[in-house]
Amino acid sequence: MFYDHKINSRLLLGTAGYPSPEILSDAIIESQTEIITVSLRREGKAGASFRTLLNQVNKKFLPNTAGCHTVKEAVTTAQMARELFNTDWIKLEVIGNADTLQPDPFALVEAARILTQDGFKVFPYTTEDLIVGEKLLEAGCEVLMPWGAPIGSGQGLRNIEALRTMRAYFKNVPLIVDAGIGSPSQAAHAMEIGFDGILLNTAVAKAKDPILMAAAFRDAIVAGHHAYRAGIMEKRDMAYASTPIYGLADFN
């Protein structure tokens, strides 16, 4: 449940960098996602045809403020996206470092507060920092989207213990791993530790077969969520026989 919006798929899929519009459309359909992220920066001469394509797949739009480095730039981009895509949902990015694309926590919280007061439902791209998470919730966010690793790096969950702590600390807050997921197994791992969804783009868009990769992520995320709900066995330091030795027949 994201902002009172019930979803069945826990995969949120980006729309940038695909080999062709047709492959993008097929990957969206194959993934069974219900939410697709779109960037205002895709809007140019081909903007109208791009929006037409996205409208045809009939998914919920989550515009983003990708590439924004200041509060003013992010807020302005969000307001333009609301008019263009007719939605009050926004994935908020305020980048603080050009090399790592790490979010600027101070600008992120300020922009989130401005946007929530303006009626936006903000999905903030953040780190696994608990204090930043608390400030974003105080600013009006109802969802947190910590990175697994830098955007587009494919490194997976670089700080697993911090993400586990975040999950335990924000027990009733929807948490989505956003950025850094490069393989279905990494996505499944995030779901196994209790995250509510995965937002990704590059791992599907740049795959040799994006459509097949979309299906792989779809299934991995479902499997990881089922495993979390079922209860994964704890690791042990020593072997533990699945068949007890007591009560076995003695053939001597």
Side-chain angles (χ1 to χ4, degrees), residues 17-25 53:
Y18 285 79
S20 72
E22 293 75 21
I23 290 177
L24 166 60
S25 178
L53 169 68

Side-chain angles (χ1 to χ4, degrees), residues 23 26 28 49 51 62 64-66 74-75 82-83 87 126 141 143 168 179 181 200 212 219 232 237 243:
I23 290 177
D26 289 345
I28 291 172
S49 60
R51 289 197 305 276
L62 177 60
N64 65 44
T65 62
V75 169
R82 177 166 60 184
E83 296 299 319
T87 179
T126 183
C141 298
V143 177
I181 297 295
L200 55 88
L212 184 59
D219 295 343
I232 297 173
D237 293 331
T243 302

Side-chain angles (χ1 to χ4, degrees), residues 30-146:
E30 190 67 25
S31 72
Q32 295 182 5
T33 184
E34 296 171 40
I35 302 171
I36 54 176
T37 64
V38 290
S39 174
L40 196 67
R41 296 174 186 271
R42 288 292 302 271
E43 299 303 315
K45 293 181 179 179
S49 60
F50 179 67
R51 289 197 305 276
T52 299
L53 169 68
L54 295 182
N55 283 324
Q56 289 173 347
V57 297
N58 192 31
K59 304 297 180 181
K60 175 75 173 175
F61 286 162
L62 177 60
N64 65 44
T65 62
C68 293
H69 292 261
T70 66
V71 172
K72 182 178 180 180
E73 188 179 11
V75 169
T76 301
T77 300
Q79 292 169 340
M80 293 172 63
R82 177 166 60 184
E83 296 299 319
L84 191 61
F85 294 105
N86 191 31
T87 179
D88 57 4
W89 281 23
I90 193 72
K91 176 190 171 186
L92 179 61
E93 296 182 27
V94 187
I95 301 302
N97 184 280
D99 293 326
T100 64
L101 301 182
Q102 179 173 332
D104 178 336
F106 308 103
L108 180 67
V109 171
E110 183 180 351
R113 182 173 291 108
I114 293 170
L115 290 172
T116 54
Q117 290 175 352
D118 192 25
F120 282 90
K121 295 176 174 60
V122 179
F123 292 69
Y125 164 59
T126 183
T127 65
E128 60 280 281
D129 189 286
L130 298 182
I131 297 174
V132 177
E134 285 184 330
K135 296 298 183 183
L136 287 167
L137 295 177
E138 290 172 4
C141 298
E142 297 181 14
V143 177
L144 297 176
M145 301 206 304

Side-chain angles (χ1 to χ4, degrees), residues 12-18 37 181 199-206:
L12 291 72
L13 192 63
T15 56
Y18 285 79
T37 64
I181 297 295
L199 195 160
L200 55 88
N201 187 160
T202 306
V204 172
K206 299 303 182 183

Side-chain angles (χ1 to χ4, degrees), residues 99-102 125 127-128 147-151 153-163 177 179-181 186 189-190 193:
D99 293 326
T100 64
L101 301 182
Q102 179 173 332
Y125 164 59
T127 65
E128 60 280 281
W147 65 351
I151 294 172
S153 68
Q155 296 178 19
L157 308 183
R158 269 204 325 192
N159 196 341
I160 296 173
E161 291 310 312
L163 290 170
V177 172
I181 297 295
Q186 294 169 354
H189 191 186
I193 63 177

